[in-house]
Amino acid sequence: MPIDNQQQQSPLVFDASVLSHQTQIPKEFIWPDEERPQPNLPELPVPLLDLNGFLARDAASADEAAKLVGEACEKHGIFLVVNHGVDAKLLEDACKYMDHFFELPLAVKQMAQRKAGENCGYASSFTGRFSSKLPWKETLSFRFSGVESEANIVQEYFKGKMGEDFEYIGRIYQDYCKAMSGLSLAIMELLGMSLGVGRAYFRDFFEENDSIMRLNYYPPCQKPDQTLGTGPHCDPTSLTILHQDQVSGLQVFADNEWRSVSPVADAFVVNIGDTFLALSNGRYKSCLHRAVVNSQRTRKSLAFFLSPKKDRVVRPPKQLVSPSMPRIYPDFTWPTLLEFTQKHYRSDMNTLDAFSSWVPGHHCCSKIFNN
């Protein structure tokens, strides 16, 4: 859906300390009847992948894990991972310090205010970008780089935006992003095996990733049946590793209906995004999902969005392209797709198709099957 550029006469401010208690929510947050959440959705049986054997380099375990990943990605693009090797204390701290940030006064949080057209910073419901169907949430987003020369980019971001008192929190999220990057690369090995291009192909492609970390904070809403925490969309990035707390809210569209994905202790939710949909030449599905809110408890999630280095050309490996499997999407770089979603299009389930029509120099790739 194209971005609504209409300017509001008096800009709406999402102040959770006020809005969480209002029995009548502002009209900007009210979604159309056909898009509102339904109660008591059936649970989606998401495959649970134990990474213990794979990370220990056990060949049989790796083959079994790759098979499971392939089946999940062809079906609906989502699976869970346990025994992932991420330090429990680090995960605990990353969740704990979300409260430290989001419970600050609004004026303090706005020191890191996200600017129009940018993808990093503090955003209260994206009120600067959209004027209707606003999501009921606050977010803090920041860059992570897998390039050695930018090893402290997250820590420096927190210190630069919020001051020296936040340097310690920045170090925690720097370490968390580094752990997510490492886990992402391991999962990329499995994706490469499952697609028949070998363990190294996608790992090498994402080794020096330029990724986005986002802290999502969904405060209580007194009319949760009228709004959404996050509207239906596929992530434009390559791979998302999500940690959700024990408050339910994630929903996935599968088998032509919305289904719940309940939190599983110590598990990460992993889903495919549009960029990897293009890299797999359409073989693996980009997961369509949304988030709902409730009237009682704040819901928190940590989302690491793996993306390739800025100058990497996104195109499927030659093994996945042939006369019988022609190219579906054009070559592009991640910054071009990111610009499209930030300035021209509100991410939904059709982002990549819309982008393919928009991207400069796009030509049909069906004849270029040996690229």
Side-chain angles (χ1 to χ4, degrees), residues 330-348:
D331 286 0
F332 63 90
T333 59
W334 162 239
T336 308
L337 177 57
L338 180 61
E339 178 192 1
F340 180 69
T341 61
Q342 295 301 307
K343 297 181 179 178
H344 305 285
Y345 195 86
R346 185 174 185 173
S347 292
D348 58 14

Side-chain angles (χ1 to χ4, degrees), residues 281 315-327 331 365-371:
N281 200 28
R315 67 163 66 99
K318 60 183 180 182
Q319 297 96 315
L320 302 183
V321 183
S322 69
S324 62
M325 295 188 300
R327 287 283 300 279
D331 286 0
C365 301
S366 59
K367 296 179 181 178
I368 316 175
F369 54 79
N370 59 351
N371 221 3

